[in-house]
């Protein structure tokens, strides 16, 4: 079903909206959540939370594109759940990808310890704009969607090795960008 | 800055970036003729530029020439491999020497290539990648972003190698070619010293990393299924996935049993009703329609202390049969 028709169902407060949304984008949403949580049951619940969030947001929102909007909610709920589960040992693709980023931003002193996430998001956006489209896709596949190297390779048509090398370089560029923007020493 | 903050920031980026990822279509694969043409050009260039001096005076280089060709492009160095393709599965490799506090984080071995990722709590990280130098396999590519990097030739246990360094952050790319085994090794590091890189490379030996989980494999699957992905294999867990043309898929997860119960281990809610069964001589429990649309079969191998979870869209009998056919590699 076309995105606009699904959104119309939300506006009509029809419960078909959720089932149509799930039929069209459920697989992508579950994959994203599972990558973060590494638990199918938790992923299921987070995706359902995201559907509920979508139900509450539409109307008045009319997101375009719809999938990106839902993915943002899925990621948000999944990370919230993940943090609640942090007492458990680290065991998800999200953990692994975040550990890579942690290494990238390691610094003895925080220049802007109180930098807000939204301000940092703008800095990250400027960094993303400096990347080639392909490298931007790879970076976000790894650190937004928490995809494995093998999955990224499949999505991009590159080898895992090439993905690995590109990510290493991109992390280095991110570090340089954060230093240049004054949020890392 | 914490990684949590960076994760939050990523979550707050404009949705246009996410849309770009979701709608991305990779470029069509290069046509074989194009690749062959490029290889011919590469080979000709290598012969014209290097043959007279490089090959004539250097026995190692002469041996290497038949296995690989180093080709410099504007923004990358590509090593084209020349050996006859092999059906042999590449063995596992690991670094026998590691800097203090560094440990293996993730590994993968898929047919003709594999890798091990190492890291430590101080942010230092490296990847050991290895592949057969078979014609038709991907060349190793260094993305130089057009800047060019200094490199030096090195000898790793008698094998010819090239060490590319990026002094600013201690990033190194070390590639060396073992002509005896026909395997190329590529070692990438960040925040490590040259001495550590060389020492780790010289310590590379055949065999799996001992701290990792034992490996298991499907020895039987229902008709139509094929193994399409071995997902991450780490020091604590492993995923093995399989799918069928009909779109059905199954997933095996196994992990060191560390919880009070299998349900806690795999985080199935305690009030969920399960069916008691047996996988071989081991007690098992089946949860229907968990996750949605699939069934989950949980069991514990008491001999090894490994807990298993098999998820599939199959009936009880088939799931038991699949489970009982899972064996150590």
């Amino acid at each position: 079903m076309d995105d606009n028709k699904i959104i119309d169902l939300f506006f009509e407060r029809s419960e078909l909206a959720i089932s149509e949304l799930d039929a069209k984008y459920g697989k992508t949403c579950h994959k994203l959540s599972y990558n973060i949580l590494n638990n199918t049951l938790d992923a299921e619940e987070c995706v359902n939370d995201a559907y509920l969030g979508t139900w509450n947001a539409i109307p008045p929102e009319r997101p375009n594109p719809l999938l990106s909007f839902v993915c943002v909610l899925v990621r948000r709920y999944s990370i919230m759940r993940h943090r609640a589960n942090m007492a458990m040992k680290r065991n998800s693709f999200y953990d692994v990808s975040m550990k890579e980023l942690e290494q990238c931003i390691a610094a003895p002193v925080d220049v802007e310890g109180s930098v807000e996430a939204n301000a940092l998001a703008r800095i990250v956006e400027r960094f993303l704009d400096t990347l080639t489209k392909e490298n931007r896709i790879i970076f976000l596949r790894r650190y937004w969607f928490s995809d494995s190297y093998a999955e990224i390779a499949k999505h991009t048509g590159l080898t895992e090795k090439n993905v690995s090398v590109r990510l290493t370089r991109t992390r280095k560029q991110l570090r340089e960008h954060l230093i240049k923007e004054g949020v890392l020493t | 800055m914490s990684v949590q903050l960076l994760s939050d920031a990523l979550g707050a980026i404009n949705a246009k970036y996410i849309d770009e990822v979701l709608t991305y279509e990779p470029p069509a694969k290069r046509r074989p003729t194009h690749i062959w043409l490029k290889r011919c050009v590469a080979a000709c260039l290598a012969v014209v530029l290097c043959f007279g001096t490089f090959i004539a005076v250097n026995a190692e280089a002469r041996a290497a020439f038949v296995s690989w060709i180093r080709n410099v492009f504007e923004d990358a160095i590509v090593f084209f491999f020349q050996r006859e393709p092999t059906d042999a599965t590449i063995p596992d490799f690991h670094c026998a020497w590691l800097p203090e506090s560094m440990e293996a984080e993730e590994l993968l071995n898929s047919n003709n290539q594999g890798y091990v990722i190492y890291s430590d709590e101080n942010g230092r990280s490296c990847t050991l990648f290895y592949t057969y130098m078979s014609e038709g396999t991907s060349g190793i590519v260094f993305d130089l972003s057009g800047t060019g990097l200094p490199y030096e030739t090195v000898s790793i246990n008698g094998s010819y190698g090239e060490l590319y360094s990026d002094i600013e952050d201690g990033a190194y790319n070390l590639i060396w070619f073992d002509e005896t085994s026909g395997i190329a090794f590529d070692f990438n590091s960040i925040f490590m010293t040259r001495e550590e890189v060389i020492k780790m490379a010289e310590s590379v030996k055949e065999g799996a990393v001992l701290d990792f989980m034992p490996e298991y494999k499907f020895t039987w699957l229902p008709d139509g299924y094929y193994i399409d992905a071995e997902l991450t294999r780490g020091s604590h867990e492993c995923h093995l996935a399989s799918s069928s043309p009909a779109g059905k898929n199954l997933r095996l997860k196994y992990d060191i049993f560390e919880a009070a119960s299998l349900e806690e281990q795999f985080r199935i809610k305690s009030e969920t009703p399960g069916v008691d069964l047996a996988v071989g001589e081991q007690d098992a429990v089946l949860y229907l329609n968990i996750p949605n649309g699939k069934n989950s079969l949980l069991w514990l191998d008491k001999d090894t202390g490994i807990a298993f979870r098999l998820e599939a869209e199959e009936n009880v009998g088939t799931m038991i049969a699949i489970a009982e056919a899972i064996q150590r590699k």
Side-chain angles (χ1 to χ4, degrees):
Chain A
M1 182 181 284
D2 179 67
D3 279 4
N4 283 327
K5 287 182 180 169
I6 296 175
I7 290 172
D8 287 342
L9 288 172
F10 276 104
F11 269 84
E12 293 162 13
R13 311 315 284 165
S14 164
E15 291 184 6
L16 269 178
I18 300 287
S19 53
E20 289 296 337
L21 182 67
D22 187 55
K24 187 168 184 185
Y25 296 130
K27 196 174 170 185
T28 304
C29 292
H30 281 84
K31 171 76 173 53
L32 169 59
S33 186
Y34 185 85
N35 276 357
I36 294 169
L37 292 162
N38 199 24
N39 179 284
T40 44
L41 192 61
D42 278 358
E44 184 86 24
E45 290 178 4
C46 287
V47 170
N48 286 337
D49 286 345
Y51 289 165
L52 180 62
T54 308
W55 176 267
N56 291 332
I58 308 173
E61 293 276 340
R62 185 173 276 277
N64 183 20
L66 178 60
L67 177 57
S68 305
F69 178 85
V70 180
C71 281
V72 167
L73 289 180
V74 169
R75 186 176 189 272
R76 191 174 297 159
Y77 283 113
S78 302
I79 289 175
M80 279 167 56
R81 173 70 56 88
H82 178 272
R83 286 174 184 166
N85 294 339
M86 276 302 282
M88 307 275 295
K89 64 181 169 67
R90 46 183 296 278
N91 67 349
S92 73
F93 300 132
Y94 172 75
D95 285 314
V96 176
S97 65
M98 283 302 109
K99 192 167 185 204
E100 287 174 4
L101 273 186
E102 197 167 31
Q103 292 161 4
C104 159
I105 60 173
V109 181
D110 265 1
V111 174
E112 290 290 345
S114 60
V115 63
E116 291 180 359
N118 281 336
L120 187 56
R122 303 294 84 75
I123 292 171
V124 172
E125 284 174 356
R126 286 197 287 278
F127 166 71
L128 292 173
D129 290 337
T130 68
L131 300 177
T132 63
K133 182 176 181 179
E134 200 168 45
N135 285 343
R136 188 161 56 241
I137 301 292
I138 292 168
F139 182 85
L140 289 174
R141 277 262 162 225
R142 182 66 174 163
Y143 303 116
W144 206 96
F145 290 86
S146 303
D147 278 351
S148 68
Y149 287 6
E151 289 164 328
I152 298 170
K154 191 175 165 189
H155 278 296
T156 55
L158 299 169
T159 63
E160 288 180 41
K161 164 63 191 163
N162 201 327
V163 168
S164 165
V165 169
R166 283 170 184 246
L167 281 170
T168 301
R169 298 283 171 204
T170 307
R171 286 199 302 274
K172 181 192 161 205
Q173 290 167 14
L174 172 62
R175 180 179 175 79
E176 289 168 352
H177 183 81
L178 294 175
I179 291 170
K180 190 177 156 192
E181 292 275 359
V183 290
L184 272 186
T185 55
Chain B
M1 184 196 309
S2 70
V3 71
Q4 183 171 325
L5 177 62
L6 188 51
S7 174
D8 287 343
L10 278 168
I13 61 172
N14 192 301
K16 73 176 183 182
Y17 296 102
I18 310 310
D19 187 48
E20 183 181 50
V21 175
L22 293 168
T23 57
Y24 179 73
E25 292 288 337
K29 283 192 173 179
R30 285 179 293 180
R31 285 172 296 147
T33 50
H34 182 72
I35 295 171
W36 276 107
L37 183 63
K38 217 165 187 179
R39 285 183 181 174
C40 290
V41 171
C44 291
L45 275 175
V47 170
V48 170
L49 296 177
C50 308
F51 193 85
T53 53
F54 188 60
I55 298 299
V57 301
N58 187 321
E60 279 183 351
R62 190 162 52 241
F65 182 77
V66 297
S67 296
W68 53 272
I69 292 175
R70 179 181 185 278
N71 198 357
V72 180
F73 293 97
E74 188 178 346
D75 60 353
I77 294 172
V78 182
F79 292 90
F80 290 121
F81 299 133
Q82 304 289 306
R83 287 201 173 198
E84 285 294 313
T86 173
D87 292 331
T89 300
I90 201 164
D92 285 318
F93 286 92
H94 70 281
C95 297
W97 179 86
L98 298 175
E100 192 175 344
S101 83
M102 184 164 276
E103 57 183 31
E105 180 72 27
E106 179 180 327
L107 64 82
L108 185 75
N109 183 331
S110 58
N111 296 328
N112 64 352
Q113 57 186 26
Y115 67 75
V116 187
I117 298 176
Y118 297 93
S119 65
D120 73 7
E121 57 194 14
N122 299 316
R124 302 189 312 160
S125 172
C126 58
T127 304
L128 171 68
F129 176 82
Y130 46 93
T131 180
Y132 277 127
M133 292 188 277
S134 303
E135 189 167 19
T137 59
S138 306
I140 292 179
V141 180
F142 296 100
D143 186 353
L144 303 179
S145 305
T147 60
L149 285 175
Y151 80 94
E152 59 179 303
T153 58
V154 293
S155 175
I156 302 298
N157 299 327
S159 295
Y160 175 83
E162 295 180 1
L163 178 65
Y164 295 79
S165 58
D166 189 348
I167 305 300
E168 280 185 14
D169 62 3
Y172 286 96
N173 267 160
L174 169 60
I175 179 168
W176 72 99
F177 309 94
D178 184 337
E179 296 295 338
T180 307
S181 62
I183 294 171
F185 294 88
D186 180 18
F187 189 93
N188 298 283
S189 75
I190 190 162
F191 303 129
M192 291 177 62
T193 67
R194 180 187 183 283
E195 289 68 31
E196 287 173 327
V197 168
I198 296 290
K199 197 167 177 181
M200 282 185 76
E202 288 181 333
S203 79
V204 167
K205 60 189 287 190
E206 197 173 318
V209 179
L210 295 177
D211 291 341
F212 274 73
M213 293 273 295
E215 288 181 72
Y216 290 84
K217 63 180 179 182
F218 297 116
T219 60
W220 176 83
L221 288 169
D223 286 345
Y225 278 94
Y226 56 91
I227 294 175
D228 62 350
E230 180 181 25
L231 306 179
T232 57
R233 183 152 57 100
S235 55
H236 291 289
E237 65 172 8
C238 179
H239 285 95
L240 193 63
S242 181
S243 60
S244 74
K248 291 199 293 187
N249 61 78
L250 58 85
R251 179 185 290 258
L252 173 71
K253 176 182 178 180
Y254 52 94
D255 198 355
I256 297 169
F257 183 58
E258 294 174 322
S261 67
L262 285 168
E263 288 72 17
E264 183 182 324
Q265 177 88 17
F266 292 114
R267 303 182 57 216
I268 288 184
K269 289 183 176 175
S270 55
E271 63 270 24
T272 310
V275 180
D276 289 333
L277 297 167
V279 171
E281 296 177 354
Q282 312 287 358
D283 292 338
V285 58
L286 178 75
Y287 290 94
L288 296 170
N289 207 29
I290 292 178
N292 196 21
K294 289 187 188 175
N295 300 323
S296 288
L297 181 64
L298 278 53
W299 72 100
L300 171 65
D301 184 337
K302 289 175 183 164
D303 296 333
T304 59
I306 304 292
F308 295 85
R309 176 175 181 159
L310 176 68
E311 298 173 3
E313 302 167 70
E314 295 294 343
N315 61 38
V316 178
T318 304
M319 290 193 69
I320 294 282
I322 295 169
E324 290 184 338
I326 291 168
Q327 291 181 4
R328 270 181 89 153
K329 271 189 178 177

